Amino acid sequence: MLCRVSKDLRWEMAHRLPYHDGLCKNLHGHSYHATVEVYGETDDGGMVIDFKDIAEAAGPLVKQLDHSCAIDPSDVELKQFLTERGMKMFELESYSTAENIAGLLLEHVCLIVNGPRIHEVRVRVCETCTSAAEVVWSRDA
Ligand SMILES: [Zn+2]
C-alpha cells in the first residue's frame, strides 16, 4: 500500500540576511517548525518507515541548529562577534533562508531515509506561522 507519513521537528534559531533590503537584514530569531514527509510502500510490518528513523535522520542537524545563530559565508562581521563571545553558531554554505534550511534538512534526511520502497521525501520549513518553504526529492525526478 502507498502511504505518506510525517514527522514534525522544532527548533529555535537566530539569523539574518545581510543582503536583504527589508527587515530580514536585522539579526532576529524564529521558532522554526519543519515537517518531514515520506511517501512510499508499506513493508510487511505495515510501515513506510519508523517515525523514530525520521527523527534520528534529522535529529543531529536539528540539535546543531537549535539555539544557534545561523550565519552565511559573507557575514564575517557576525561570525567574528559570535566567535569572540563563544556563542553557538551554525555556518551554512549559503544564506540562511527557509529554502536553504529546508534543502539542508532534505539532504540529511535522504542520507538515511532511502531504499526501494521510498518514492518521495518532502521537507517543509516554516519560519513563521504564515511563511514556509518546501523542497522535494522524488524517485521519479
Ligand atoms: Zn528570519
Side-chain angles (χ1 to χ4, degrees):
M1 174 177 68
L2 279 167
C3 186
R4 187 179 303 277
V5 297
S6 67
K7 185 79 184 167
D8 285 0
L9 310 160
R10 292 181 183 276
W11 70 94
E12 315 295 328
M13 191 177 79
H15 81 139
R16 72 174 178 175
L17 302 176
Y19 67 85
H20 199 263
D21 271 346
L23 291 172
C24 293
K25 71 181 176 195
N26 300 300
L27 186 60
H28 64 285
H30 298 287
S31 292
Y32 286 86
H33 171 216
T35 302
V36 177
E37 289 184 355
V38 181
Y39 179 67
E41 294 279 349
T42 52
D43 62 14
D44 293 342
M47 286 185 183
V48 175
I49 186 167
D50 196 316
F51 295 121
K52 179 175 67 69
D53 293 339
I54 303 175
E56 285 178 4
L61 177 61
V62 169
K63 196 172 176 182
Q64 284 182 285
L65 296 174
D66 191 36
H67 285 80
S68 76
C69 182
I71 54 171
D72 65 75
S74 75
D75 207 345
V76 178
E77 183 185 25
L78 181 56
K79 182 178 177 180
Q80 185 180 346
F81 178 88
L82 296 168
T83 303
E84 285 172 0
R85 286 155 185 83
M87 297 175 121
K88 186 176 178 183
M89 67 178 128
F90 186 89
E91 294 184 66
L92 291 149
E93 290 176 10
S94 54
Y95 296 112
S96 57
T97 58
E99 290 88 334
N100 287 338
I101 303 286
L104 189 62
L105 252 175
L106 182 67
E107 267 178 42
H108 275 70
V109 168
C110 284
L111 287 175
I112 294 174
V113 177
N114 54 45
R117 288 185 302 98
I118 307 297
H119 291 225
E120 185 182 280
V121 180
R122 192 176 286 259
V123 174
R124 181 178 173 85
V125 169
C126 303
E127 270 192 352
T128 68
C129 55
T130 58
S131 309
E134 187 172 278
V135 288
V136 180
W137 170 85
S138 173
R139 181 167 302 284
D140 306 325

